[in-house]
Amino acid sequence: MQLVVARIGRAHGIKGEVTVEVRTDEPELRLGPGAVLATDPASTGPLTIETGRVHSGRLLLRFEGVRDRTAAEALRNTLLIAEVDPTELPEEDDEYYDHQLMDLDVVTKDGLEVGRITEISHLPSQDLFIVERPDGSEVMIPFVESIVVEIDLEEQRAVIDPPPGLIDDRAEIASSRDADADAEADTDAEADTDVDAGADGDRP
């Protein structure tokens, strides 16, 4: 199975190094020296990593045969693709590869169907599940322990315990409006009763 593990950014310096946007939780494994990676577009690869280092919090790579800034800049925006065994699992029990999570059914603890994971978004602060709902709309679910309480790969589902408003904000707004309308109706009904009672009391 082929997975995108990084995207090449701008050239760094004049000796062929490039910055990379890492898209794997295991850069030391996927992006280490000697790794041979396919590319998208395919015409720029395959690329073999010669050296790698971290500079100012960013990973810098140099590829075999890329020796100057011009050659490095020509690789900009190229996706780096690794061949991964689909049965391979991360070392930590609570970690998952993107391909394991894609297409999982998302349900709440109460059994309410939310949708299906169609994308994993890796942000600096946290990862997000992009979930397509049955009506075609999308909802973003933070992949944090307090919300995603269970990943069941055997049953192909992710169980969530969403805080109020995360997945049903529109429903809550509608419910709030209905509740306000019901409350107003009840108030009007009580007022009518009081008037009627008063009228009855005035009768001889």
Side-chain angles (χ1 to χ4, degrees), residues 6-10 19 40-41 72-80:
R7 182 181 68 85
I8 297 176
R10 59 185 177 82
T19 62
D40 182 9
E73 193 63 33
L75 297 174
R76 191 167 186 168
N77 292 324
T78 295
L79 297 178
L80 300 176

Side-chain angles (χ1 to χ4, degrees), residues 95-149:
E95 292 183 353
Y96 303 90
Y97 293 134
D98 285 7
H99 71 271
Q100 294 176 294
L101 301 172
M102 291 292 290
D103 291 325
L104 291 187
D105 292 324
V106 179
V107 299
T108 67
K109 290 174 62 177
D110 299 328
L112 176 67
E113 178 186 357
V114 179
R116 178 178 59 87
I117 298 175
T118 57
E119 183 182 345
I120 314 294
S121 179
H122 299 284
L123 303 180
S125 58
Q126 64 186 11
D127 295 335
L128 292 174
F129 291 162
I130 310 301
V131 178
E132 181 178 320
R133 309 192 71 168
D135 64 2
S137 62
E138 289 185 339
V139 61
M140 292 182 290
I141 308 292
F143 187 19
V144 294
E145 188 175 356
S146 59
I147 296 177
V148 182
V149 296

Side-chain angles (χ1 to χ4, degrees), residues 6 13-14 40 51 66 71 112 147 156 161 202:
I14 60 173
D40 182 9
T51 63
V66 179
L112 176 67
I147 296 177
Q156 286 291 285
D161 184 15
D202 290 341

